[in-house]
Amino acid sequence: SGASQTKKYVCTGGEWYRFPSSFHLPPNVELAFLKSSFSGQLPQPFTIHGSKEESLAIQQGKFNDDNKEEIDRYLTIEQCSYVVELIDTAKMDGEELRVPECIEYMNSDKTGQWKEVASYNFLDIDKTSALNRILYLPWGREKVFYKGYAMFERVD
């Protein structure tokens, strides 16, 4: 198709390191980052040359050898078309349920509403025993805990 498509962004906050790959996104969609509690250097998008040496000549943005945060990596929630976030769906006794940073951003977004378009179980390694993480045991499944790995879409 000759018509140019509007660029869209799939944003993530603290979940950036679990996101499978920007390789799986359509051509008009890019992975982007929202400010989170992580304060190190985030990856940059590949150039048209991928990881070849030619990409170094046209790479934009800053890099450093100290893993220091570079502010040019972040977008605001208003720029995002989609948000991917890991959501804790259950709390243990005496534990406060933490609202993920991306959800806080979406709740404060005055430019649009958000709806959940997909959610999948994601094994909670902090609450599930090592034995139940390593082996599938058909009995005792009540000892396996999940979080929700969810995708939200902006609806204007």
Side-chain angles (χ1 to χ4, degrees):
S1 73
S4 66
Q5 294 180 316
T6 304
K7 184 177 288 192
K8 294 183 178 186
Y9 294 99
V10 173
C11 297
T12 188
E15 283 303 299
W16 68 270
Y17 63 95
R18 282 192 239 254
F19 192 82
S21 172
S22 58
F23 177 77
H24 300 289
L25 298 174
N28 66 318
V29 179
E30 287 185 18
L31 179 63
F33 307 107
L34 294 167
K35 181 81 175 104
S36 72
S37 57
F38 176 75
S39 61
Q41 183 166 278
L42 292 165
Q44 266 195 341
F46 283 107
T47 68
I48 58 170
H49 301 293
S51 59
K52 295 179 183 174
E53 190 172 341
E54 296 91 337
S55 67
L56 296 175
I58 62 171
Q59 186 70 52
Q60 297 177 356
K62 300 175 184 174
F63 283 100
N64 63 69
D65 294 336
D66 300 321
N67 196 30
K68 289 186 180 173
E69 182 175 43
E70 297 292 350
I71 301 301
D72 68 342
R73 301 294 199 281
Y74 300 115
L75 292 184
T76 64
I77 190 69
E78 292 80 15
Q79 295 171 286
C80 301
S81 304
Y82 302 93
V83 170
V84 175
E85 183 63 90
L86 186 65
I87 300 170
D88 204 347
T89 55
K91 61 181 179 177
M92 301 294 275
D93 292 335
E95 182 183 80
E96 275 298 310
L97 194 60
R98 184 186 68 82
V99 177
E101 293 163 321
C102 286
I103 303 299
E104 290 177 3
Y105 284 132
M106 288 188 296
N107 289 340
S108 68
D109 182 10
K110 305 293 186 227
T111 64
Q113 299 292 317
W114 295 87
K115 71 173 182 175
E116 187 177 297
V117 292
S119 181
Y120 298 93
N121 284 339
F122 196 92
L123 189 66
D124 187 336
I125 64 169
D126 295 325
K127 296 176 184 169
T128 303
S129 72
L131 181 62
N132 280 297
R133 291 192 320 253
I134 296 168
L135 298 172
Y136 175 81
L137 303 172
W139 62 91
R141 298 309 295 163
E142 69 277 355
K143 297 177 184 173
V144 177
F145 298 92
Y146 294 95
K147 294 182 179 182
Y149 201 70
M151 181 172 181
F152 299 87
E153 180 180 26
R154 173 186 295 282
V155 288
D156 297 319

